[in-house]
């Protein structure tokens, strides 16, 4: 019985100790944070197996794990916890295990079978989040009261401890139960179905964690090395500056016959920076014993009435200088007020100083003294410093020194100057001699002690600190700059990525653990669940298939509906444009022959009505193109100012509103740009036309501003302002919606489709611009059109000017060609024939594509104007057959069609047609095509 009791204690202690050592490997330097503590789960498993005798083993194992002296160095644990601290933490761990063990036995009715969801969740709730409150509270409180952690880190440490214990209990208690409860068939079956995946997943999580931790460590180390290199570079540069300052002063003395005190002060004030690490620069003249009195008298006459020669005694007190063969006296010093205690000091008062002066004289170069207590800083917290002694040979040549240029350096002031612009937060700085005796530090604990020797070639990490040293050399002196980035600073700047990987992975693992326990605990119900899942899966599959079929059918219907819409628009466009072509064509021909004013007015009414109808058709087609992303922009040079003038004249001539329209254009503004002229004109006509339509006997101002400009791009704002009826506030949110006007009465009173602003807004956005507005009912509306336009080049501007001034006349060559018109509509035949005749071209007529083929076989034509939609054979098929048969000898075929949809135009080009004229046709359309293909 006693042996079994001892075995239970030893096994529990050993299991806890080994698990704790392993867990400490998962701690995250420099914060010592770990998101999992497997010993919490192993302790519970030992209690369930060995009963309450395991508590003693848990107490012993926890104590050893926390008191183990090497853990702090090797495994990044807390720094050598004292005996009482380790014991109290062990008490918390064993007490938690015992209380949780008894709570599970009291509340669990499954005798640890954990075969139902209720028993599993109850078990995990008690062992995990509830039970882990005990050890975390006792342990963290112990660390806090023992001074190991601060109040700022108390909550985080408690939370981290609680999470680690909870996950450890949730995952590792059931994991170890699968191996120690072999008599239970359910637990035995869980070795394969539960333990194997949990172990594999845990191993995978640990693998990712270790990689994440190494990445985090490398990131922090690289950051430290970068900061270290910045500091050492700055230190080295300042050493160069100090050397240059001493050398400059040396050169100043050597190049001057005699240096007065005022000249010395002026020179040194220019080379010593404000708050420099150079405490002072002095001229220490060598004065023979017999010349001392005259030297003192000279100094007093020069303004230093109380001047005397002094030295320091063994207690660093200033006393009168003793008699000696030669004195090295501080004659000039800058800055004077801060260093006047040193004025008159004989620096040769000590044998060591004399030895230093002799070495400087022997080297004939600057020599640096050992560390001294500066007389001017003897009352300061950091009085330590050193002197640089530079011999000056002038009066006696190289045989005898005339004096010394002395640089007075205070270590603290040096460090303050060198690192004043660098961020030293989180860094411990140590300046030490070659034996690691600390000369200066910003950390009080190393102010006057010896720093532990480190490897200067690499970054060392001790207790979460990164440490690296740099060897400094200044003349004959060498120092070590040791920089230590503290663990607290690393903790502040670390990403906790590794902690999140571990905590997140283990949290998911604990959920998977619970899930696997529930699944394996319900083997009997699993079959039913599996069957239901299969039935559900089949039902879902059928539902998905049915849904996919409906989606496919719906998609087909949508595609078909879109095709019907497109065909309808194309057909309606064709059918409406065909009679419109006749109306507009005949009207324009009659207009030229009509002389009676009354008849001309009637013709204008017909023409205006037809153009309004054409605009409605174009709006509907544009709306359809915008909806289907079918708008493509051209890029041609055009004169924006001329376009605005044309639109202004158009509005004045076609309107009865009697509005005054003014254009405000900056004379310095570029007029010619490269873009899609027709689309920009369409936007401007809509905006200016609306202003003109909704204003009566008022004023319309069109202002063009250049907001910003580069060499190629100009960001413009075109503002159209009227004092018309305005837009009601209730209607302003709908103003850019399709088929929408301010109210229904607007449509009745002013007409329109309600598409103009919607199309203009969409076109502006396609250009990369925008249209905004401000309006007040009864006072008027201001629309702002913003757009970025490319400035035209000089050649484009010239071409644009030539094109604008050129008259549209048919080339002589075009007048001699043979033309065939393929058109089935009688009215359009008349219109096209008459328009061609007007420019001096006679043409032959056929009524369908079949007749066009027969005509080409009978006679060679230079140009065929081919309608796309004709009976017997349409123009597209006729074009393909002509090109296929005659190839290079085929005549030029140009489409003349009432269809204006993008797809229709592209189809005509694909069939082999060379150009496209949209009905209603104009004489200029024919002139453009004739001159394009039949130039003189």
């Amino acid at each position: 019985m006693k042996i079994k009791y001892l075995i239970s204690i030893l096994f529990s202690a050993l299991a806890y100790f080994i698990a704790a050592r392993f867990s400490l490997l998962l701690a995250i330097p420099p914060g010592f944070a770990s998101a999992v503590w497997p010993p919490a789960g192993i302790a519970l498993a030992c209690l369930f197996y060995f009963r309450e005798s395991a508590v003693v083993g848990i107490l012993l194992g926890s104590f050893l794990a926390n008191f183990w002296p090497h853990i702090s160095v090797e495994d990044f644990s807390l720094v050598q916890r004292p005996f009482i601290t380790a014991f109290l933490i062990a008490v918390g761990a064993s007490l938690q295990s015992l209380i949780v063990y008894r709570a599970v036995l009291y509340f669990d009715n499954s005798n640890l079978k954990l075969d139902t969801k209720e028993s599993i969740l109850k078990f995990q709730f008690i062992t995990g989040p509830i039970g882990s409150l005990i050890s975390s509270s006792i342990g963290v409180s112990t660390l806090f009261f023992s001074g190991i952690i601060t109040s700022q880190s108390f909550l985080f440490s408690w939370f981290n401890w609680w999470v680690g214990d909870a996950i450890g209990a949730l995952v590792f208690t059931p994991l170890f139960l699968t191996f120690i409860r072999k008599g239970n068939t359910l637990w035995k079956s869980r070795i394969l179905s539960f333990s194997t995946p949990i172990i594999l997943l845990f191993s995978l999580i640990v693998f990712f964690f270790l990689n994440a931790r190494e990445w985090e460590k490398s990131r922090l180390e690289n950051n430290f090395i970068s900061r270290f290199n910045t500091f050492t570079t700055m230190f080295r540069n300042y050493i160069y500056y100090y050397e240059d300052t001493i050398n400059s002063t040396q050169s100043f003395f050597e190049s001057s016959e005699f240096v007065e005190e005022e000249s010395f002060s002026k020179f040194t004030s220019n080379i010593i920076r404000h708050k420099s690490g150079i405490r002072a620069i002095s001229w220490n003249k060598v004065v023979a014993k017999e010349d001392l009195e005259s030297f003192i008298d000279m100094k007093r006459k020069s303004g230093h009435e109380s001047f005397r020669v002094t030295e320091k005694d063994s207690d660093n007190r200033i006393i009168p200088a003793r008699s000696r063969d030669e004195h090295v006296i501080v004659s000039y010093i800058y800055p004077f007020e801060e260093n006047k205690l040193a004025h008159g000091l004989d620096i040769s008062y000590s044998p060591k100083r004399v030895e230093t002066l002799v070495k400087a004289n022997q080297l004939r170069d600057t020599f640096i003294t050992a560390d001294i207590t500066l007389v001017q800083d003897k009352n300061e917290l950091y009085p330590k410093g050193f002197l640089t002694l530079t011999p000056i040979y002038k009066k006696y040549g190289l045989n005898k020194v005339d004096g010394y240029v002395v640089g007075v350096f205070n270590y603290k002031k040096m460090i303050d100057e060198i690192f004043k612009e660098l961020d030293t937060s989180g860094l411990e700085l140590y300046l030490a001699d070659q034996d690691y005796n600390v000369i200066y530090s910003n950390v009080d604990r190393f102010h006057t002690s010896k720093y532990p020797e480190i490897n200067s070639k690499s970054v060392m990490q001790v207790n979460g600190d990164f440490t690296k040293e740099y060897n400094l050399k200044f003349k004959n002196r060498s120092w070590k700059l040791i920089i230590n980035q503290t663990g607290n600073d690393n903790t502040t700047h670390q990403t906790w990525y590794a902690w999140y990987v571990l905590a997140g992975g283990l949290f998911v693992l604990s959920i998977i653990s619970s899930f696997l326990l529930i699944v394996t605990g319900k083997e009997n119900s699993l079959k039913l669940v599996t069957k239901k899942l299969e039935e559900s899966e089949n039902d879902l599959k059928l539902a998905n298939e049915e849904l996919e079929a409906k989606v496919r059918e719906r998609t087909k219907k949508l595609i078909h509906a879109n095709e019907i819409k497109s065909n309808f628009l194309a057909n309606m466009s064709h059918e409406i444009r065909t009679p419109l072509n006749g109306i507009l064509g005949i009207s324009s021909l009659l207009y030229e022959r009509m002389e009676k004013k009354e008849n001309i007015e009637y013709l204008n009414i017909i023409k205006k009505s037809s153009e309004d109808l054409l605009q409605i058709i174009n709006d509907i087609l544009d709306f359809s193109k915008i909806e289907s992303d079918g708008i493509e922009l051209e890029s041609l040079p055009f004169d924006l100012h001329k376009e605005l003038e044309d639109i202004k004249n158009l509005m004045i001539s076609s309107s009865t509103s009697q509005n005054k329209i003014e254009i405000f254009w900056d004379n310095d503004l570029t007029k010619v740009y490269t873009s899609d002229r027709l689309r920009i004109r369409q936007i401007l006509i809509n905006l200016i036309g609306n202003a003109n339509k909704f204003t009566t006997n008022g004023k319309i101002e069109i202002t063009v501003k250049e907001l910003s400009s580069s060499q190629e791009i100009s960001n413009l704002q075109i503002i159209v302002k009227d004092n018309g009826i305005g837009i009601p506030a209730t209607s302003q949110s709908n103003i850019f919606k399709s088929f929408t006007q301010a109210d229904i009465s607007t449509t009745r009173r002013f007409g329109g489709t309600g598409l103009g602003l919607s199309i203009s807004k969409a076109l502006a956005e396609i250009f990369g611009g925008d249209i905004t507005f401000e309006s007040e009912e009864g006072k008027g509306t201001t629309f702002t059109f913003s757009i970025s336009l490319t400035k035209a080049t000089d050649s484009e501007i010239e071409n644009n000017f030539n094109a604008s001034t050129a008259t549209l006349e048919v080339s002589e060559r075009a007048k001699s060609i043979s033309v065939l018109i393929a058109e089935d509509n009688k009215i359009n035949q008349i219109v096209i024939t008459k328009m061609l005749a007007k420019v001096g071209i006679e043409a032959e007529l056929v009524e369908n594509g079949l007749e066009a083929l027969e005509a080409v076989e009978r006679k060679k034509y230079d140009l065929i104007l081919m309608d796309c939609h004709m009976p017997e054979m349409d123009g597209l098929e006729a074009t393909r057959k002509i090109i296929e048969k005659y190839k290079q000898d085929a005549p030029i075929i140009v489409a003349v069609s009432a269809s204006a949809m993008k797809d229709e135009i592209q189809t005509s080009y694909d069939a082999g047609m060379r150009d496209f004229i949209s009905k209603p046709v104009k004489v200029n359309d024919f002139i453009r095509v004739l001159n394009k293909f039949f130039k003189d």
Side-chain angles (χ1 to χ4, degrees):
M1 188 69 179
K2 288 182 179 181
I3 294 175
K4 189 175 181 180
Y5 179 75
L6 289 172
I7 290 173
S8 67
I9 293 174
L10 290 174
F11 182 86
S12 301
L14 187 62
Y16 194 100
F17 179 79
I18 293 172
R21 290 297 302 273
F22 170 76
S23 301
L24 290 170
L25 293 175
L26 301 180
I28 303 172
F32 315 110
S34 177
V36 62
W37 189 248
I42 293 171
L44 272 176
C46 289
L47 274 166
F48 287 126
Y49 187 74
F50 294 115
R51 307 298 179 188
E52 295 184 3
S53 61
V55 172
V56 178
I58 295 166
L59 178 69
L60 181 61
S62 177
F63 172 77
L64 289 174
N66 286 282
F67 194 65
W68 196 257
H70 300 291
I71 291 176
S72 63
V73 175
E74 296 176 1
D75 300 322
F76 309 106
S77 182
L78 297 174
V79 180
Q80 295 189 351
R81 304 175 180 91
F83 181 91
I84 296 176
T85 302
F87 179 74
L88 289 175
I89 292 173
V91 168
S94 55
L95 187 63
Q96 173 177 290
S97 302
L98 181 61
I99 292 174
V100 171
Y101 165 72
R102 289 187 176 180
V104 170
L105 294 182
Y106 181 80
F107 289 104
D108 180 44
N109 300 319
S110 67
N111 194 25
L112 278 183
K113 286 183 180 180
L114 305 182
D115 55 352
T116 64
K117 184 171 75 173
E118 291 76 15
S119 64
I120 292 169
L121 294 178
K122 191 187 296 180
F123 172 82
Q124 297 209 318
F125 188 69
I126 294 171
T127 58
I130 296 299
S132 300
L133 294 171
I134 301 168
S135 179
S136 59
S137 299
I138 295 174
V140 174
S141 298
T142 300
L143 296 177
F144 173 71
F145 287 112
S146 61
I148 295 174
I149 63 171
T150 63
S151 58
Q152 288 83 358
S153 60
F154 184 92
L155 284 178
F156 173 76
S157 299
W158 180 90
F159 176 75
N160 190 62
W161 196 311
W162 175 76
V163 169
D165 275 17
I167 294 177
L170 288 172
V171 174
F172 288 91
T173 301
L175 182 63
F176 274 79
L177 285 175
T178 59
F179 293 102
I180 63 179
R181 294 182 65 86
K182 294 183 179 180
N184 187 297
T185 54
L186 176 56
W187 282 106
K188 189 183 294 184
S189 66
R190 283 173 171 161
I191 292 176
L192 183 63
S193 59
F194 173 80
S195 299
T196 303
I198 292 298
I199 291 171
L200 289 174
L201 285 173
F202 179 73
S203 302
L204 191 62
I205 291 167
V206 170
F207 171 77
F208 282 117
F209 162 75
L210 292 175
N211 279 279
R213 186 177 70 175
E214 189 60 31
W215 173 85
E216 177 68 18
K217 178 185 174 184
S218 297
R219 188 188 68 82
L220 289 171
E221 185 174 320
N222 290 334
N223 178 64
F224 167 68
I225 291 172
S226 177
R227 293 183 74 186
F228 178 85
N229 290 337
T230 302
F231 274 74
T232 55
T233 300
M234 185 66 75
F235 210 116
R236 188 169 57 250
N237 290 340
Y238 267 90
I239 292 296
Y240 294 153
Y241 156 65
Y242 295 147
E243 287 185 1
D244 289 344
T245 302
I246 298 300
N247 292 338
S248 297
T249 309
Q250 178 186 2
S251 299
F252 174 66
F253 271 90
E254 289 178 346
S255 61
S256 303
E257 186 67 26
F258 176 76
V259 176
E260 294 181 347
E261 185 171 7
E262 184 180 351
S263 301
F264 171 81
S265 299
K266 186 176 181 180
F267 177 81
T268 51
S269 66
N270 288 328
I271 62 173
I272 298 180
R273 299 171 182 171
H274 180 61
K275 293 185 178 180
S276 174
I278 304 177
R279 185 69 174 84
I281 292 182
S282 68
W283 165 241
N284 292 26
K285 185 169 179 57
V286 176
V287 180
K289 179 179 180 181
E290 58 272 15
D291 298 328
L292 183 60
E293 289 301 325
S294 60
F295 175 78
I296 294 172
D297 185 57
M298 180 194 69
K299 291 295 292 181
R300 287 175 178 174
K301 287 179 179 179
S302 66
H304 301 287
E305 296 176 357
S306 59
F307 180 82
R308 61 184 184 136
V309 179
T310 60
E311 63 180 58
K312 291 195 292 184
D313 63 10
S314 57
D315 295 325
N316 249 5
R317 292 176 299 185
I318 301 295
I319 61 173
R322 290 167 291 181
S323 178
R324 53 180 60 90
D325 292 338
E326 280 187 342
H327 300 269
V328 182
I329 304 170
V330 178
S331 304
Y332 307 153
I333 189 166
Y334 179 85
F336 182 80
E337 286 300 322
E338 299 173 21
N339 299 279
K340 59 185 177 181
L341 282 176
H343 191 219
L345 181 68
D346 180 3
I347 65 172
S348 63
Y349 64 87
S350 71
K352 286 186 177 180
R353 190 62 50 76
V354 172
E355 183 181 346
T356 306
L357 292 169
V358 170
K359 286 182 179 178
N361 199 10
Q362 290 173 345
L363 290 172
R364 290 176 173 25
D365 193 8
T366 301
F367 193 83
I368 302 177
T369 67
D371 294 340
I372 62 170
T373 299
L374 299 175
V375 63
Q376 52 267 66
D377 293 332
K378 64 180 181 179
N379 297 321
E380 300 290 333
L381 181 61
Y382 297 97
K384 290 289 185 182
F386 61 87
L387 304 179
T388 62
L389 305 174
T390 306
I392 301 297
Y393 304 93
K394 187 167 59 175
K395 183 177 180 181
Y396 305 104
L398 294 178
N399 296 323
K400 188 177 180 182
V401 65
D402 191 44
Y404 296 86
V405 171
V406 179
V408 183
F409 290 82
N410 177 287
Y411 281 116
K412 184 180 186 306
K413 291 184 182 294
M414 279 179 59
I415 298 296
D416 289 345
E417 179 186 26
I418 293 170
F419 297 147
K420 64 183 176 183
E421 295 179 359
L422 300 179
D423 179 18
T424 59
S425 59
L427 295 180
E428 295 178 349
L429 306 175
Y430 306 95
L431 189 64
D433 60 21
Q434 290 299 303
D435 296 324
Y436 290 93
N437 294 308
V438 176
I439 299 169
Y440 169 82
S441 172
N442 63 346
V443 181
D444 291 340
R445 61 192 170 105
F446 278 117
H447 182 47
T448 56
S449 61
K450 191 178 178 72
Y451 193 89
E453 189 169 339
I454 66 172
N455 182 0
S456 63
K457 294 183 179 179
S458 62
V459 176
M460 294 182 65
Q461 189 174 15
V462 180
N463 299 328
D465 297 355
F466 289 120
T467 301
K468 190 171 174 61
E469 74 172 42
Y470 177 74
N471 289 312
L472 300 165
K473 186 168 179 61
F474 184 9
K475 295 298 183 179
N476 57 293
R477 286 291 303 274
S478 295
W479 295 274
K480 292 182 181 294
L481 175 65
I482 303 166
I483 299 180
N484 180 29
Q485 183 165 291
T486 64
N488 288 334
D489 184 71
N490 291 334
T491 303
T492 303
H493 292 94
Q494 67 183 12
T495 62
W496 293 102
Y497 171 67
W499 191 91
Y500 293 139
V501 169
L502 186 60
L506 292 171
F507 176 73
V508 173
L509 184 62
S510 63
I511 294 174
I512 295 173
S513 170
S514 303
F515 174 75
L516 290 177
L517 286 174
I518 292 171
V519 171
T520 55
K522 292 187 174 183
E523 289 187 60
N524 293 330
S525 59
L526 183 61
K527 293 179 181 179
L528 180 61
V529 172
T530 303
K531 185 178 179 181
K532 288 183 179 180
L533 284 173
E534 289 175 354
E535 292 175 355
S536 300
E537 186 178 354
N538 291 332
D539 292 341
L540 182 61
K541 186 176 180 180
L542 291 173
N544 282 337
E545 290 175 354
E546 184 179 348
L547 180 61
E548 288 175 1
K550 289 181 179 179
V551 170
R552 284 194 296 270
E553 183 65 25
R554 180 67 175 168
T555 303
K556 287 180 182 178
K557 288 180 179 179
L558 289 173
I559 294 172
H560 182 61
N562 191 50
E563 290 174 351
I564 290 173
K565 183 191 80 170
S566 298
N567 291 334
F568 172 76
L569 288 172
N571 290 333
M572 288 304 296
S573 171
H574 182 272
E575 295 305 320
I576 296 173
R577 282 172 182 269
T578 298
L580 273 177
N581 183 53
I583 295 170
L584 288 171
I586 294 298
S587 296
S588 63
L589 293 172
L590 280 174
Y591 188 85
E592 295 177 359
R593 298 188 177 188
M594 197 66 65
E595 296 180 357
K596 196 172 182 180
K597 184 177 181 181
E598 182 181 358
N599 292 338
I600 291 174
E601 289 179 359
Y602 293 155
L603 279 175
N604 282 335
I605 292 169
I606 294 171
K607 183 180 178 185
K608 179 67 169 63
S609 300
S610 301
E611 288 175 347
D612 289 345
L613 180 57
L614 182 61
Q615 182 60 45
I616 292 171
I617 295 169
N618 289 337
D619 282 350
I620 295 172
L621 290 176
D622 283 341
F623 179 71
S624 175
K625 290 177 183 178
I626 289 169
E627 274 194 328
S628 60
D629 295 328
I631 294 288
E632 291 185 359
L633 301 178
E634 292 183 340
S635 183
L636 295 170
F638 72 100
D639 190 327
L640 178 60
H641 183 267
K642 183 177 180 300
E643 292 297 330
L644 287 171
E645 289 288 349
D646 289 347
I647 294 169
K648 170 187 170 182
N649 295 332
L650 175 65
M651 295 298 160
I652 292 172
S653 64
S654 63
S655 173
T656 60
S657 301
Q658 300 300 313
N659 294 314
K660 182 180 180 182
I661 303 176
E662 292 184 286
I663 297 175
F664 297 95
W665 182 284
D666 188 349
N667 291 331
D668 295 332
L669 195 60
T670 302
K671 291 185 177 181
V672 181
Y673 300 92
T674 301
S675 190
D676 193 321
R677 179 187 70 84
L678 292 177
R679 292 299 179 188
I680 292 176
R681 181 182 176 91
Q682 182 178 354
I683 295 171
L684 295 174
I685 286 176
N686 267 319
L687 297 179
I688 300 170
N690 279 348
N692 194 43
K693 180 164 60 174
F694 295 112
T695 305
T696 303
N697 294 323
K699 183 178 181 181
I700 298 168
E701 296 178 353
I702 305 166
T703 305
V704 182
K705 295 180 179 178
E706 185 176 59
L707 299 180
S708 61
S709 174
S710 65
Q711 189 172 356
E712 297 179 352
I713 303 296
S714 183
N715 297 313
L716 299 180
Q717 219 179 49
I718 303 173
I719 302 168
V720 180
K721 182 179 181 181
D722 67 65
N723 58 356
I725 63 174
I727 304 169
T730 54
S731 303
Q732 290 184 10
S733 60
N734 299 323
I735 202 69
F736 289 116
K737 290 184 179 179
S738 306
F739 305 104
T740 302
Q741 291 190 335
D743 56 52
I744 194 67
S745 63
T746 304
T747 305
R748 290 197 298 268
R749 181 180 173 191
F750 296 101
T753 61
L755 285 174
L757 285 176
S758 174
I759 291 170
S760 297
K761 175 84 168 174
L763 288 174
E765 290 174 352
I766 291 172
F767 276 108
D770 195 14
I771 295 178
T772 58
F773 74 95
E774 294 178 358
S775 183
E776 186 174 350
E777 189 173 7
K779 292 188 177 181
T781 304
T782 301
F783 277 90
T784 302
F785 172 30
S786 302
I787 186 171
S788 297
L789 294 177
T790 303
K791 298 177 183 177
T793 62
D794 293 340
S795 60
E796 288 175 333
I797 293 173
E798 184 179 352
N799 292 338
N800 179 264
F801 175 78
N802 294 336
S804 64
T805 55
T807 57
L808 282 174
E809 293 184 359
V810 177
S811 64
E812 291 300 321
R813 181 186 170 198
K815 291 179 182 180
S816 61
I817 64 172
S818 59
V819 179
L820 177 66
I821 301 171
E823 170 64 63
D824 62 320
N825 186 277
K826 298 294 184 183
I827 295 174
N828 286 339
Q829 289 176 357
I830 295 170
V831 170
I832 296 171
T833 304
K834 294 293 185 183
M835 285 185 175
L836 288 174
K838 184 180 176 182
V839 295
I841 294 176
E842 298 295 328
E844 299 179 17
L845 281 168
V846 293
E847 294 191 353
N848 57 58
L850 198 59
E851 291 182 5
L853 282 174
E854 294 171 353
V856 171
E857 288 179 358
R858 292 193 304 270
K859 179 180 177 180
K860 179 175 176 61
Y861 292 96
D862 299 300
L863 174 67
I864 301 177
L865 300 174
M866 183 84 75
D867 186 12
C868 293
H869 299 276
M870 294 183 291
E872 300 293 337
M873 179 185 291
D874 62 33
L876 299 173
E877 181 65 24
T879 298
R880 281 191 283 265
K881 288 184 177 295
I882 291 171
I883 291 174
E884 182 181 354
K885 182 173 182 179
Y886 295 100
K887 294 183 174 55
Q888 299 295 329
D889 296 329
I892 295 170
I893 304 174
V894 175
V896 182
S897 176
S899 299
M901 299 293 284
K902 176 185 173 184
D903 292 342
E904 293 276 346
I905 296 171
Q906 186 59 47
T907 302
S908 68
Y909 281 109
D910 292 342
M913 295 180 179
R914 305 280 292 278
D915 209 329
F916 190 95
I917 298 175
S918 178
K919 296 175 183 176
V921 297
K922 300 180 182 65
V923 174
N924 288 345
D925 292 333
F926 293 120
I927 294 174
R928 176 184 63 80
V929 169
L930 289 167
N931 288 342
K932 177 181 177 181
F933 294 108
F934 303 101
K935 295 179 181 178
D936 287 332

